[in-house]
Amino acid sequence: MSTKEETPAADGDKPQTSSWKDSIYNPRTGEFIGRTAKSWALILLFYLVFYGFLAGMFTLTMWVMLQTLDDNIPTYRDRVASPGLVIRPRSLDIVFNRTDPKQYDQYVQHLENFLQQYNDTVQEKNELCMVGEYYEQDDQEEKKVCQFKRSLLRQCSGLSDTTFGYAEGKPCVLVKMNRIIGLKPRGDPYINCTAKRESPLQMQYFPSEGRFDKMYFPYYGKNLHSTYVQPLVAVKLLLTKEDYNNELTMECKIEGSDLRNSDDRDKFLGRVTFRVKVVE
């Protein structure tokens, strides 16, 4: 039985095998990572046009939206219809020893710094406005400011008593409303403070009856009303020796107007609660 001898194939007849290098660049087809140069160029051109279109749409949308906005007045102002109340000194726990100036000096210094903008010499540059009337300036480009001199706070002005009553154990607390553009409260708003205890606490209010006059409204915003200052009400707590060494919880509300002061969801809307403890 005859057999044929198998001879090895010539070198030129060896099958061509691909290596892992060909998956990156194939020299036979000119492909790079499975694509030719033309295929890569078309893909890059597609994404360039696609993302350029998205960027153009975004830019156009932002431009259209910005045309609806006012640099001075927010477009939507219905989220907070009534202002909150805050106090100065900026602390909801006022605790000090009336015989130790170091303990109440921080409160005195804070009040003094805060009232610098209300100095009579500064406020005399502002307008003398009509009492009891809104100071509307819708048709004026430059909004003017009504005077509110710190001397109106009398015993709580820090002028006659530089310690604002803290040295004698009868501290002053300043109450102010947060700014809301365009707010014109109806009625005759005033501040009323009470101590959360059975017997009432004697207090003095400055200006008289703790009223916010209408001439300080409306407010036109930070850009148009750059020198505007809120009206203040100073409350002097006439503490006695029986009140010393006891913590008093005070609540001040804005009354006499349509401004809200009893929203359970916001304890600072139209009211503010703080604690006072004087030690001797």
XYZ file of all heavy atoms in Angstrom, residues 17-74:
476
model
N -2.287 35.016 10.462
C -2.976 35.107 11.755
C -2.925 36.545 12.248
O -1.964 37.276 11.981
C -2.311 34.182 12.788
O -0.944 34.566 12.939
C -2.404 32.722 12.339
N -4.004 36.947 12.961
C -4.058 38.316 13.508
C -3.630 38.293 14.964
O -3.891 37.319 15.685
C -5.474 38.889 13.404
O -6.386 38.094 14.126
N -2.993 39.317 15.391
C -2.546 39.436 16.778
C -3.362 40.521 17.477
O -4.172 41.220 16.865
C -1.060 39.779 16.830
O -0.823 41.064 16.277
N -3.154 40.681 18.784
C -3.902 41.682 19.547
C -3.551 43.106 19.099
O -4.349 44.023 19.260
C -3.595 41.517 21.026
C -2.148 41.766 21.389
C -1.146 40.856 21.409
C -1.578 43.025 21.762
N 0.036 41.443 21.757
C -0.209 42.796 21.994
C -2.093 44.313 21.904
C 0.668 43.809 22.359
C -1.231 45.314 22.281
C 0.144 45.069 22.510
N -2.371 43.229 18.478
C -1.990 44.552 17.990
C -2.884 45.020 16.848
O -3.104 46.212 16.657
C -0.529 44.551 17.543
C 0.458 44.282 18.666
C 1.880 44.321 18.145
C 2.891 44.041 19.271
N 4.287 44.072 18.774
N -3.415 44.041 16.109
C -4.265 44.425 14.976
C -5.587 45.048 15.424
O -6.233 45.760 14.649
C -4.568 43.191 14.109
C -3.307 42.684 13.402
O -2.361 43.484 13.261
O -3.264 41.509 13.022
N -6.007 44.742 16.677
C -7.253 45.333 17.159
C -7.091 46.826 17.442
O -8.072 47.559 17.494
C -7.716 44.621 18.442
O -6.744 44.770 19.473
N -5.850 47.240 17.615
C -5.588 48.671 17.798
C -5.340 49.339 16.448
O -5.996 50.301 16.087
C -4.393 48.878 18.755
C -4.707 48.267 20.122
C -4.053 50.365 18.880
C -3.573 48.351 21.099
N -4.406 48.776 15.731
C -4.153 49.298 14.383
C -3.845 48.133 13.462
O -2.939 47.328 13.724
C -2.985 50.280 14.394
C -2.646 50.753 12.995
C -3.503 51.621 12.316
C -1.498 50.306 12.338
C -3.218 52.039 11.037
C -1.209 50.728 11.062
C -2.070 51.595 10.396
O -1.788 52.005 9.125
N -4.640 48.051 12.397
C -4.460 46.988 11.410
C -3.775 47.587 10.189
O -4.377 48.353 9.436
C -5.815 46.399 11.019
C -5.680 45.115 10.241
O -4.733 44.958 9.462
N -6.635 44.211 10.420
N -2.483 47.225 9.969
C -1.752 47.829 8.835
C -2.275 47.379 7.481
O -2.077 48.071 6.484
C -0.319 47.365 9.082
C -0.438 46.126 9.887
C -1.647 46.290 10.732
N -2.961 46.213 7.444
C -3.448 45.721 6.148
C -4.661 46.503 5.671
O -4.816 46.773 4.485
C -3.794 44.236 6.262
C -2.570 43.344 6.544
C -2.933 41.875 6.488
N -3.940 41.522 7.485
C -3.683 41.259 8.765
N -2.425 41.320 9.194
N -4.642 40.956 9.602
N -5.571 46.857 6.643
C -6.799 47.579 6.263
C -6.743 49.065 6.600
O -7.609 49.828 6.198
C -8.009 46.956 6.974
O -7.821 47.063 8.386
C -8.165 45.487 6.582
N -5.725 49.439 7.373
C -5.635 50.842 7.779
C -6.631 51.235 8.844
O -6.878 52.426 9.039
N -7.221 50.271 9.570
C -8.219 50.570 10.586
C -7.562 50.853 11.934
O -6.600 50.177 12.327
C -9.192 49.402 10.729
C -10.056 49.169 9.504
C -10.985 47.986 9.692
O -10.772 47.224 10.659
O -11.910 47.819 8.876
N -8.099 51.812 12.615
C -7.643 52.144 13.970
C -8.810 51.918 14.929
O -9.854 52.539 14.786
C -7.170 53.606 14.035
C -6.758 54.042 15.407
C -5.598 53.561 15.994
C -7.545 54.933 16.126
C -5.227 53.961 17.262
C -7.182 55.338 17.398
C -6.008 54.853 17.968
N -8.618 50.950 15.844
C -9.658 50.529 16.778
C -10.938 50.167 16.014
O -12.047 50.560 16.363
C -9.944 51.610 17.843
C -8.644 52.138 18.440
C -10.773 51.036 18.996
C -8.836 53.183 19.498
N -10.767 49.466 14.945
C -11.900 48.926 14.203
C -12.544 49.872 13.215
O -13.544 49.508 12.585
N -12.007 51.076 13.062
C -12.605 52.014 12.118
C -11.533 52.641 11.246
O -10.406 52.886 11.703
C -13.376 53.111 12.863
C -14.603 52.625 13.587
C -15.378 53.785 14.170
N -16.570 53.329 14.860
C -17.727 53.094 14.270
N -17.839 53.275 12.957
N -18.773 52.674 14.964
N -11.946 52.938 10.030
C -11.041 53.625 9.120
C -11.023 55.112 9.437
O -11.850 55.621 10.197
C -11.493 53.413 7.664
O -12.786 53.997 7.488
C -11.562 51.927 7.317
N -10.088 55.807 8.822
C -9.970 57.245 9.056
C -11.230 57.978 8.620
O -11.698 58.909 9.279
C -8.745 57.787 8.312
N -11.824 57.542 7.514
C -13.051 58.169 7.037
C -14.199 57.966 8.019
O -14.982 58.893 8.297
C -13.420 57.595 5.669
C -14.679 58.199 5.078
C -14.984 57.607 3.721
C -16.249 58.224 3.135
N -16.592 57.625 1.820
N -14.279 56.732 8.582
C -15.344 56.451 9.550
C -15.185 57.302 10.796
O -16.153 57.851 11.324
C -15.339 54.968 9.919
O -16.320 54.688 10.896
N -13.945 57.447 11.281
C -13.691 58.290 12.442
C -14.045 59.759 12.154
O -14.608 60.456 12.993
C -12.233 58.184 12.876
C -11.937 56.993 13.732
C -11.130 55.942 13.431
C -12.457 56.744 15.029
N -11.100 55.030 14.461
C -11.910 55.509 15.458
C -13.339 57.422 15.871
C -12.213 54.935 16.696
C -13.634 56.857 17.109
C -13.086 55.626 17.507
N -13.722 60.224 10.970
C -14.012 61.612 10.613
C -15.508 61.870 10.587
O -15.986 62.909 11.068
C -13.383 61.938 9.264
N -16.287 60.909 10.067
C -17.740 61.085 10.020
C -18.347 61.093 11.425
O -19.268 61.866 11.713
C -18.356 59.971 9.167
C -18.062 60.038 7.661
C -18.625 58.802 6.953
C -18.642 61.313 7.063
N -17.853 60.215 12.293
C -18.364 60.170 13.668
C -18.046 61.471 14.415
O -18.901 62.052 15.090
C -17.787 58.959 14.413
C -18.417 57.675 13.879
C -18.026 59.075 15.916
C -17.876 56.419 14.521
N -16.811 61.935 14.288
C -16.436 63.180 14.955
C -17.253 64.353 14.420
O -17.668 65.236 15.188
C -14.936 63.439 14.769
C -13.991 62.481 15.495
C -12.538 62.795 15.136
C -14.188 62.573 17.007
N -17.499 64.383 13.126
C -18.304 65.445 12.549
C -19.739 65.389 13.080
O -20.333 66.431 13.381
C -18.299 65.324 11.018
C -19.153 66.361 10.262
C -18.636 67.767 10.545
C -19.160 66.059 8.770
N -20.293 64.183 13.211
C -21.652 64.040 13.731
C -21.772 64.588 15.153
O -22.678 65.369 15.451
C -22.058 62.566 13.707
C -23.322 62.289 14.457
C -24.558 62.573 13.908
C -23.270 61.746 15.743
C -25.731 62.324 14.612
C -24.431 61.496 16.455
C -25.667 61.790 15.887
N -20.840 64.163 16.012
C -20.921 64.621 17.398
C -20.626 66.110 17.527
O -21.164 66.792 18.401
C -19.975 63.810 18.286
C -20.536 62.462 18.656
C -20.009 61.292 18.115
C -21.612 62.352 19.523
C -20.542 60.045 18.448
C -22.142 61.132 19.863
C -21.607 59.976 19.320
O -22.146 58.766 19.655
N -19.775 66.632 16.653
C -19.500 68.062 16.675
C -20.759 68.851 16.340
O -21.115 69.826 17.019
C -18.379 68.387 15.692
C -17.977 69.864 15.596
C -17.409 70.337 16.941
C -16.952 70.070 14.489
N -21.478 68.430 15.318
C -22.713 69.093 14.935
C -23.788 68.897 16.004
O -24.518 69.829 16.369
C -23.203 68.577 13.571
C -24.575 69.146 13.240
C -22.202 68.918 12.479
N -23.880 67.677 16.551
C -24.915 67.361 17.543
C -24.760 68.199 18.808
O -25.705 68.849 19.262
C -24.849 65.868 17.870
C -25.816 65.434 18.923
C -27.184 65.410 18.680
C -25.367 65.045 20.182
C -28.079 65.009 19.654
C -26.259 64.645 21.161
C -27.617 64.635 20.902
N -23.546 68.205 19.378
C -23.339 68.957 20.614
C -23.329 70.466 20.361
O -23.679 71.255 21.247
C -22.043 68.518 21.292
C -22.181 67.175 21.980
C -21.490 66.058 21.516
C -23.011 67.019 23.077
C -21.629 64.825 22.136
C -23.152 65.790 23.710
C -22.461 64.698 23.228
O -22.607 63.485 23.845
N -22.920 70.860 19.166
C -23.025 72.276 18.827
C -24.468 72.732 18.786
O -24.806 73.836 19.232
N -25.355 71.868 18.257
C -26.781 72.178 18.233
C -27.351 72.270 19.640
O -28.123 73.185 19.958
C -27.517 71.101 17.431
C -29.012 71.248 17.448
C -29.645 72.211 16.664
C -29.799 70.435 18.247
C -31.023 72.351 16.682
C -31.174 70.570 18.271
C -31.790 71.531 17.494
N -26.972 71.319 20.527
C -27.450 71.358 21.910
C -26.982 72.622 22.625
O -27.743 73.254 23.359
C -26.965 70.115 22.658
C -27.564 68.767 22.252
C -26.987 67.661 23.121
C -29.093 68.788 22.357
N -25.712 72.992 22.408
C -25.190 74.199 23.049
C -25.931 75.435 22.552
O -26.243 76.357 23.320
C -23.694 74.331 22.778
N -26.241 75.466 21.237
C -26.982 76.592 20.698
C -28.385 76.685 21.258
O -28.869 77.780 21.577
N -29.052 75.529 21.402
C -30.399 75.515 21.972
C -30.389 75.983 23.419
O -31.249 76.755 23.858
C -30.988 74.112 21.874
C -31.457 73.737 20.488
S -32.884 74.719 19.957
C -34.109 74.176 21.144
N -29.394 75.535 24.193
C -29.288 75.942 25.597
C -29.043 77.448 25.704
O -29.671 78.142 26.516
C -28.163 75.172 26.282
C -27.901 75.589 27.695
C -28.734 75.169 28.724
C -26.831 76.417 28.008
C -28.510 75.560 30.034
C -26.593 76.813 29.323
C -27.435 76.375 30.323
N -28.137 77.955 24.875
C -27.834 79.394 24.893
C -29.068 80.212 24.525
O -29.367 81.232 25.153
C -26.681 79.698 23.934
O -25.538 78.907 24.288
C -26.312 81.172 23.987
N -29.792 79.773 23.505
C -30.989 80.492 23.089
C -32.056 80.475 24.179
O -32.698 81.498 24.455
C -31.547 79.866 21.808
C -32.847 80.482 21.254
C -32.613 81.945 20.893
C -33.357 79.692 20.064
N -32.230 79.321 24.830
C -33.222 79.214 25.899
C -32.874 80.137 27.065
O -33.743 80.825 27.609
C -33.309 77.759 26.393
O -33.627 76.903 25.298
C -34.375 77.615 27.465
N -31.590 80.152 27.467
C -31.166 81.027 28.557
C -31.353 82.491 28.186
O -31.780 83.312 29.011
C -29.701 80.750 28.909
C -29.463 79.393 29.547
S -30.304 79.248 31.142
C -29.452 80.484 32.087
N -31.058 82.850 26.934
C -31.202 84.242 26.509
C -32.661 84.676 26.561
O -32.973 85.770 27.026
C -30.651 84.402 25.098
C -30.763 85.807 24.583
C -29.911 86.852 24.828
C -31.807 86.329 23.753
N -30.360 87.995 24.203
C -31.529 87.708 23.529
C -32.945 85.777 23.175
C -32.343 88.511 22.762
C -33.761 86.585 22.399
C -33.459 87.939 22.192
N -33.560 83.810 26.081
C -34.986 84.133 26.106
C -35.476 84.289 27.540
O -36.234 85.206 27.871
C -35.802 83.054 25.368
C -37.302 83.278 25.574
C -35.478 83.053 23.886
N -35.019 83.399 28.442
C -35.445 83.473 29.835
C -34.940 84.758 30.496
O -35.666 85.419 31.254
C -34.934 82.263 30.616
C -35.415 82.220 32.057
S -34.603 80.952 33.043
C -32.952 81.633 33.161
N -33.695 85.146 30.205
C -33.135 86.347 30.818
C -33.843 87.608 30.366
O -33.831 88.625 31.075
C -31.638 86.439 30.500
C -30.745 85.391 31.175
C -29.312 85.498 30.680
C -30.788 85.532 32.691
N -34.456 87.571 29.177
C -35.190 88.741 28.714
C -36.444 89.001 29.548
O -36.983 90.105 29.542
C -35.588 88.569 27.238
C -34.421 88.355 26.296
C -33.299 89.365 26.498
O -33.513 90.565 26.402
N -32.094 88.865 26.785
N -36.909 87.970 30.264
C -38.112 88.122 31.080
C -37.800 88.587 32.499
O -38.719 88.835 33.274
C -38.877 86.793 31.158
O -38.083 85.820 31.867
C -39.175 86.255 29.762
N -36.509 88.684 32.862
C -36.125 89.036 34.220
C -35.787 90.510 34.327
O -35.296 91.125 33.379
C -34.924 88.191 34.670
C -35.113 86.673 34.653
C -33.835 85.979 35.116
C -36.286 86.256 35.518
N -36.037 91.052 35.513
C -35.701 92.440 35.821
C -34.509 92.435 36.763
O -34.467 91.688 37.733
C -36.896 93.138 36.476
C -36.696 94.650 36.564
O -35.658 95.083 37.098
O -37.583 95.383 36.106
N -33.527 93.286 36.474
C -32.327 93.340 37.310
C -32.612 93.864 38.708
O -31.819 93.635 39.635
C -31.262 94.219 36.658
C -30.718 93.613 35.375
O -30.792 92.380 35.236
O -30.230 94.381 34.514
N -33.721 94.563 38.880
C -34.001 95.218 40.153
C -35.123 94.580 40.952
O -35.111 94.630 42.183
C -34.347 96.690 39.903
C -33.236 97.431 39.190
O -32.069 97.309 39.559
N -33.582 98.179 38.159
N -36.093 93.984 40.279
C -37.271 93.442 40.963
C -37.472 91.988 40.550
O -37.513 91.696 39.352
C -38.535 94.258 40.634
C -38.331 95.716 41.053
C -39.757 93.678 41.328
C -39.485 96.620 40.670
N -37.591 91.049 41.490
C -37.853 89.652 41.137
C -39.186 89.507 40.392
O -40.154 90.209 40.673
C -37.913 88.945 42.503
C -37.206 89.851 43.449
C -37.442 91.238 42.942
